[in-house]
Amino acid sequence: MNERTDDISGELRKQLFELIDGQYNFRNADRGEIRRMTDCAVFGKYREGSYLFHEGEPVKYLFFILDGAVHLHCFRKDESLQRWANITGGNMISVYELYRWNRVHGESAHCLKDTVTAMIPVDDFFGKVLKLNTIAAAIIDYMAFIIEERTEELLCVTVLDKLSLYFKRQMVYFKRYETENGVIKLFRDHYYDQIAEITGCARETVNRELKKLEKAGKIRLTREHIIIEDPSLLV
């Protein structure tokens, strides 16, 4: 980190507690476990342009972004750069790679602006925080999530089906949305080519279908959001 930050007032730990408590990944954790997570955390400031970690490095911390913005990217097998997602304040960087046998980062995290992070050492996470049954439950839950994903994908026939599934996952699984006057606004975490890769469709097809949905009044596209005007797209 560029600079260690002391949490003298306790406000950062309180912010971290609320962030973890609202995360889908930790919905099976009790509040005592969440409290132990916040007690283990260290806080740091990273300057714009610096990196939290690089692709291929060992996973040493769980990262929670309290303020700022981080861009995740990785390199394809042909060594071309693949943009992935922007993670903004109030979100965490996925823990799923902790369950991979080699526990290395699958992407690099680059700060788009000055960023405040909370970091929980992985050794503390497994050794002091989570009970064995909770770790097992998390792994089983993740496997069930993958099986459900594959089943849903098999039921998707049209491009609209695949986009609807993408919208649903962004909202239900990853909690990447906010509401305003009852309207659901999904965060635009992915570029068109990334949505195409996720849905298994051509980029031009994704672009055309999104424009068609917008013209029909079912969605609205802004720079930061995909606004769902027709809730049936999430069924």
Side-chain angles (χ1 to χ4, degrees), residues 1 8 41 46 70 76 83 90 199 227 230:
M1 74 188 78
I8 297 174
Y46 288 79
V70 174
R76 298 185 177 94
R83 301 183 185 92
T199 58
I227 302 171
D230 182 1

Side-chain angles (χ1 to χ4, degrees), residues 159-160 163 204-213:
V159 178
L160 179 57
L163 283 175
E204 294 77 13
T205 304
V206 167
N207 190 14
R208 184 169 59 248
E209 192 67 29
L210 288 173
K211 294 297 184 184
K212 189 188 299 182
L213 288 172

Side-chain angles (χ1 to χ4, degrees), residues 71-135:
H71 179 70
L72 301 181
H73 61 80
C74 60
F75 288 90
R76 298 185 177 94
K77 290 182 179 179
D78 63 2
E79 297 187 357
S80 62
L81 183 65
Q82 177 179 353
R83 301 183 185 92
W84 190 239
N86 291 338
I87 309 295
T88 54
N91 292 284
M92 69 171 294
I93 298 177
S94 174
V95 299
Y96 294 145
E97 58 196 1
L98 288 178
Y99 304 125
R100 294 167 55 187
W101 68 272
N102 56 354
R103 283 196 196 171
V104 297
H105 287 291
E107 66 281 306
S108 299
H110 173 249
C111 294
L112 297 175
K113 57 176 73 173
D114 290 349
T115 298
V116 178
T117 67
M119 297 162 288
I120 299 176
V122 169
D123 290 342
D124 286 342
F125 177 72
F126 282 109
K128 300 178 182 178
V129 177
L130 292 183
K131 293 176 278 188
L132 180 61
N133 63 336
T134 306
I135 298 173

Side-chain angles (χ1 to χ4, degrees), residues 164-189:
S164 293
L165 179 57
Y166 168 76
F167 296 153
K168 176 183 173 183
R169 287 175 179 170
Q170 287 293 96
M171 178 180 175
V172 177
Y173 295 138
F174 303 115
K175 308 298 183 184
R176 297 295 297 140
Y177 75 100
E178 60 186 4
T179 58
E180 184 177 319
N181 298 324
V183 177
I184 297 168
K185 302 167 71 174
L186 302 177
F187 292 110
R188 293 192 70 168
D189 292 332

Side-chain angles (χ1 to χ4, degrees), residues 18-33:
E18 293 173 353
L19 194 164
I20 296 173
D21 194 34
Q23 284 290 318
Y24 180 85
N25 296 313
F26 296 108
R27 65 194 180 285
N28 292 322
D30 61 43
R31 296 179 73 83
E33 289 174 320

